[in-house]
């Protein structure tokens, strides 16, 4: 069977020489659909058996599931790496823009909280290729005019600029950013019509897609859902579907999901479940009122996932009605692992005063407009099962993501693949399948090197892995350090999440990161630690002020200091 890359090559040659016989296939449309804070096992293709996700199940059946795909442990660094194929530090998003230290000024362009001029985006290169380009949803890659979607290649856009906020209006997520900002085609617009976020973004996205179809152009669309990021909110009908469905509690739910994942083969055989950190009470120890709150929280979360899937179904239905479905590549994944936070975690929220002033935190209002609740560690641990920890931390629970790719080049529909992939690999894969060129410079400034590698050869069946068995890859965020060398993963995490020293894991045998092998293989640790330091220097990674990180981020989840609490008025 001829590989899809060969077909693309033939198509590009067709423009330069006469061709007799059948016309070359049209270039594929490309849609990237991104969920926010969705856990690896939160959908049916990856182990979920309570929350219904038929649209994603259909895409998995017609496409491929990738079970060793990794992102950054928080959102905007993942988005930067996705859209550019470049390491997040070199792309300008060495850390989220909400966090700054003086040390960052020593690396101009690496820690600016937006994309810099040393990278091109997928939208920019595909627009140059003749594609219509559009996006709807969460941007979180800068809010200055030169940083907005239109300035980075999207011809049409409707975007949330902030990290998050209400799913119904412009109420913010952070006390330091009490109102969110929305732009349409880079012009600030009100958010006052009351639609649920996933419905609103999909409405705009489908409109933009229809316009591209009517123009007769191939199209690149980026649908970046705000769901399932907190605050947990969903339409009442979606929540109602799941009333009473989670009464068994998060401990039993986690074990059942683990069994489902083993049965489906979306984790390696022999994977052991990581032990949960003592950040929440065992379900059996909760009093009835506590159980009622926790059940409602998960019912809302399930409604958000269900609604997200329904909106993906709307996109698929439009593609089928227009006859474009078969020639459209659809890429779906989550930007990081599930969040274990409650709402007092975010900047400015700690004392609860802004929350009390702005929101109705009563039990009866949970999930509705004006509510303000987070998932918390109990359910987050179920969503990250069987992996270690969650969003924010550079562990499997924070970085493994459920990737589905459906498209005409997929040679084995319904297959799974466990070869290592990173979010940066999507950029070169898309350029390979569309024949687009990244170029050498942007505004006369040389481009940073690609971090990603195309996995088109995996999709078309000509290879089983995009990387060699002894591949190497470094990563860092908020002082969490990682270096991979084939099956080996070297990890440095602050206490109590790690040992504040290098730890070593065999990710083929122990993806749950349950057994530190550093003491057994000191020579491997020494070798990989040196490789990490060389990588960090080449990527201009700062040496963080550890006290700043503890105060701003990690103390909240430090179980030695106690358990986080949901701010809920039970009256």
């Amino acid at each position: 069977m001829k590989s899809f890359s060969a077909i693309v090559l033939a198509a590009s040659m067709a423009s330069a020489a006469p061709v007799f016989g059948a016309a070359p296939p049209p270039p594929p449309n490309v849609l990237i659909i991104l969920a926010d804070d969705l856990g690896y096992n939160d959908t049916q293709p990856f182990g979920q058996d309570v929350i219904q996700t038929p649209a994603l199940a259909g895409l998995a059946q017609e496409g491929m599931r990738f079970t060793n795909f990794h992102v950054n442990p928080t959102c905007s660094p993942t988005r930067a790496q996705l859209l550019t194929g470049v390491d997040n530090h070199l792309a300008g998003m060495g850390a989220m823009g909400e966090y700054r230290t003086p040390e960052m000024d020593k690396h101009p362009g690496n820690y600016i909280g937006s994309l810099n001029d040393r990278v091109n985006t997928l939208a920019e290169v595909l627009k140059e290729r003749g594609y219509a380009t559009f996006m709807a949803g969460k941007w979180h890659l800068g809010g200055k005019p030169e940083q907005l979607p239109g300035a980075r290649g999207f011809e049409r856009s409707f975007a949330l600029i902030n990290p998050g906020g209400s799913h119904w209006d412009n109420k913010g997520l952070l006390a330091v950013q009490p109102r969110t900002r929305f732009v349409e085609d880079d012009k600030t617009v009100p958010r006052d019509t009351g639609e649920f976020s996933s419905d609103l973004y999909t409405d705009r996205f489908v409109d933009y897609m229809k316009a591209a179809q009517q123009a007769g152009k191939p199209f690149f669309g980026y649908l970046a859902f705000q769901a399932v990021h907190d605050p947990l909110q969903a339409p009442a009908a979606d929540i109602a579907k799941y009333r009473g469905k989670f009464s068994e509690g998060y401990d039993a739910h986690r074990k059942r999901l683990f069994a489902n994942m083993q049965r489906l083969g979306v984790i390696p055989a022999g994977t052991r479940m990581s032990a949960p950190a003592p950040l929440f009470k065992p379900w059996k120890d909760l009093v009835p009122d506590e159980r009622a709150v926790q059940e409602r929280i998960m019912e809302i979360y399930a409604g958000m996932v269900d609604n997200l899937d329904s909106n993906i179904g709307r996109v698929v239905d439009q593609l089928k009605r227009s006859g474009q479905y078969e020639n459209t590549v659809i890429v779906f994944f989550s930007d990081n692992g599930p969040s274990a936070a409650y709402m007092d975690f975010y900047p400015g929220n700690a004392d609860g005063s802004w929350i009390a002033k702005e929101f109705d935190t009563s039990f009866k209002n949970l999930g509705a407009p004006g509510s303000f609740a987070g998932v918390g560690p109990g359910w987050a641990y179920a969503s990250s099962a069987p992996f270690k920890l969650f969003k924010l931390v550079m562990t499997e629970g924070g970085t493994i993501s459920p990737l589905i790719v459906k498209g005409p080049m997929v040679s084995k529909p319904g297959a799974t693949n466990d070869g290592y992939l990173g979010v940066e690999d999507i950029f070169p894969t898309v350029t390979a399948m569309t024949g687009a060129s990244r170029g050498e410079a942007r505004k006369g400034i040389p481009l940073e090197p690609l971090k990603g590698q195309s996995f088109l050869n995996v999709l078309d069946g000509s290879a089983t892995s995009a990387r060699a068995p002894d591949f190497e890859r470094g990563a860092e965020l908020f002082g969490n350090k990682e270096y991979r060398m084939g099956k080996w993963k070297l990890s440095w995490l602050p206490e109590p999440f790690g040992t504040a020293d290098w730890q070593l894991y065999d990710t083929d045998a122990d993806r749950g990161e349950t057994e530190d092998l550093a003491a057994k293989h000191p020579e491997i640790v020494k070798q990989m630690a040196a490789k990490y330091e060389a990588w960090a220097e080449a990527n201009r990674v700062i040496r963080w002020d550890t006290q700043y990180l503890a105060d701003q981020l990690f103390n909240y989840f430090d179980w030695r200091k106690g358990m986080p609490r949901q701010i809920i008025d039970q009256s």
Side-chain angles (χ1 to χ4, degrees):
M1 175 181 176
K2 183 182 290 186
S3 72
F4 191 77
S5 52
I7 293 173
V8 169
L9 178 60
S12 64
M13 293 174 63
S15 63
V19 176
F20 301 98
N29 309 307
V30 180
L31 302 184
I32 295 176
I33 301 176
L34 186 64
D36 198 341
D37 291 2
L38 185 77
Y40 180 80
N41 63 32
D42 278 335
T43 64
Q44 288 178 298
F46 287 87
Q48 182 58 240
D49 64 353
V50 178
I51 307 172
Q52 299 302 296
T53 57
L56 286 171
L59 293 179
Q61 186 175 11
E62 297 181 21
M64 289 185 71
R65 286 171 293 170
F66 292 87
T67 57
N68 199 6
F69 171 72
H70 287 264
V71 294
N72 282 301
T74 66
C75 49
S76 48
T78 289
R79 293 159 200 267
Q81 214 155 298
L82 161 69
L83 290 177
T84 68
V86 173
D87 186 84
N88 59 293
H89 301 87
L90 299 182
M93 198 63 72
M96 297 171 69
E98 291 77 20
Y99 301 92
R100 285 206 56 79
T101 69
E103 181 75 13
M104 294 176 178
D105 295 332
K106 297 179 182 179
H107 301 288
N110 269 39
Y111 292 87
I112 61 174
S114 68
L115 300 179
N116 60 36
D117 282 330
R118 305 194 299 256
V119 293
N120 277 334
T121 69
L122 273 174
E124 287 169 325
V125 302
L126 290 174
K127 181 180 177 182
E128 183 72 18
R129 179 67 170 156
Y131 277 64
T133 59
F134 52 90
M135 69 85 59
K138 176 174 163 179
W139 180 241
H140 201 196
L141 291 172
K144 296 179 181 178
E146 68 274 14
Q147 300 167 348
L148 294 173
R152 300 307 309 217
F154 288 99
E155 297 169 316
R156 299 299 315 275
S157 62
F158 180 85
L160 166 67
I161 301 304
N162 309 78
S166 168
H167 290 271
W168 303 97
D169 50 39
N170 71 338
K171 285 190 175 182
L173 179 70
L174 327 173
V176 297
Q177 295 178 8
R179 293 293 179 266
T180 51
R181 177 187 170 204
F182 288 79
V183 299
E184 185 158 24
D185 299 333
D186 291 3
K187 296 179 181 178
T188 299
V189 294
R191 173 72 162 99
D192 57 5
T193 49
E195 300 99 328
F196 183 66
S197 66
S198 298
D199 299 336
L200 174 62
Y201 299 145
T202 306
D203 287 345
R204 291 292 202 281
F205 190 81
V206 169
D207 287 345
Y208 299 154
M209 188 167 64
K210 286 180 178 178
Q213 292 168 337
Q214 290 168 0
K217 299 176 71 173
F219 50 85
F220 168 61
Y222 173 43
L223 178 54
F225 286 107
Q226 188 180 338
V228 289
H229 198 297
D230 51 30
L232 297 184
Q233 297 167 342
D238 293 312
I239 299 171
K241 296 179 187 178
Y242 295 98
R243 285 280 152 73
K245 301 290 187 181
F246 297 99
S247 59
E248 66 178 3
Y250 38 66
D251 296 324
H253 191 58
R254 186 174 196 240
K255 291 176 182 177
R256 193 174 75 251
L257 290 174
F258 179 40
N260 292 345
M261 295 165 78
Q262 291 172 310
R263 175 177 52 81
L264 290 173
V266 295
I267 51 176
T271 296
R272 299 183 295 275
M273 179 101 79
S274 68
L279 282 165
F280 56 92
K281 293 180 182 179
W283 189 261
K284 63 180 177 59
D285 293 341
L286 298 183
V287 301
D289 281 354
E290 291 173 320
R291 288 191 180 191
V293 169
Q294 289 293 337
E295 283 189 54
R296 183 60 51 83
I297 289 299
M298 194 57 191
E299 291 164 3
I300 300 164
Y301 185 87
M304 294 178 83
V305 177
D306 187 298
N307 176 276
L308 182 150
D309 184 83
S310 295
N311 277 295
I312 293 173
R314 290 174 58 201
V315 174
V316 169
D317 288 346
Q318 171 56 29
L319 288 169
K320 290 180 177 179
R321 283 193 298 269
S322 66
Q324 296 275 2
Y325 180 72
E326 296 300 329
N327 194 45
T328 300
V329 178
I330 301 177
V331 179
F332 170 84
F333 65 101
S334 177
D335 64 345
N336 45 246
S339 172
Y342 293 128
M343 305 313 291
D344 58 338
F345 167 71
Y346 297 105
N349 295 8
D351 67 3
S353 60
W354 179 72
I355 296 174
K357 176 183 176 182
E358 289 283 337
F359 300 97
D360 177 356
T361 61
S362 65
F363 177 81
K364 67 178 182 299
N365 194 55
L366 284 174
S371 61
F372 205 64
V375 178
W379 292 113
Y381 255 105
S383 292
S384 69
F387 308 117
K388 180 180 178 180
L389 295 171
F390 34 70
K391 177 183 177 179
L392 181 65
V393 191
M394 191 80 77
T395 55
E396 297 297 286
T399 67
I400 198 164
S401 176
L403 175 65
I404 299 171
V405 181
K406 170 263 163 195
M409 73 294 297
V410 173
S411 64
K412 296 180 180 178
T416 60
N417 182 279
D418 197 53
Y420 186 92
L421 293 176
V423 65
E424 67 274 10
D425 299 334
I426 291 173
F427 184 105
T429 304
V430 171
T431 57
M433 64 177 58
T434 58
S437 172
R438 178 177 180 246
E440 300 294 330
R442 185 176 194 274
K443 297 182 178 179
I445 301 172
L447 297 180
E448 295 285 5
L450 279 178
K451 182 175 188 172
Q453 296 179 232
S454 172
F455 59 98
L456 182 56
N457 56 354
V458 180
L459 294 169
D460 69 20
S462 58
T464 57
S465 178
R467 287 176 168 78
D470 60 349
F471 79 92
E472 297 183 21
R473 180 183 186 267
E476 184 275 345
L477 190 64
F478 294 127
N480 288 209
K481 307 170 189 177
E482 175 189 298
Y483 200 82
R484 291 180 184 258
M485 195 165 67
K487 70 177 184 177
W488 296 111
K489 175 181 178 180
L490 189 70
S491 173
W492 192 102
L493 302 173
E495 294 181 329
F497 316 103
T499 61
D501 200 352
W502 290 114
Q503 295 177 278
L504 183 68
Y505 299 98
D506 178 345
T507 60
D508 284 350
D510 182 25
R511 203 156 293 173
E513 296 174 283
T514 64
E515 183 181 6
D516 177 11
L517 301 174
K520 292 183 179 179
H521 300 285
E523 71 290 349
I524 296 177
V525 172
K526 182 178 180 181
Q527 178 191 18
M528 292 181 70
K531 287 177 177 288
Y532 171 83
E533 294 299 338
W535 172 87
E537 183 176 357
N539 286 270
R540 303 188 288 278
V541 176
I542 67 170
R543 296 189 182 277
W544 282 92
D545 177 343
T546 55
Q547 189 58 54
Y548 172 85
L549 290 176
D551 292 343
Q552 295 292 317
L553 294 167
F554 295 116
N555 280 349
Y556 185 88
F557 299 106
D558 186 342
W559 49 86
R560 299 170 301 182
K561 301 178 183 296
M563 296 181 184
R565 304 274 180 189
Q566 186 87 267
I567 298 176
I568 295 292
D569 179 3
Q570 293 278 179
S571 60

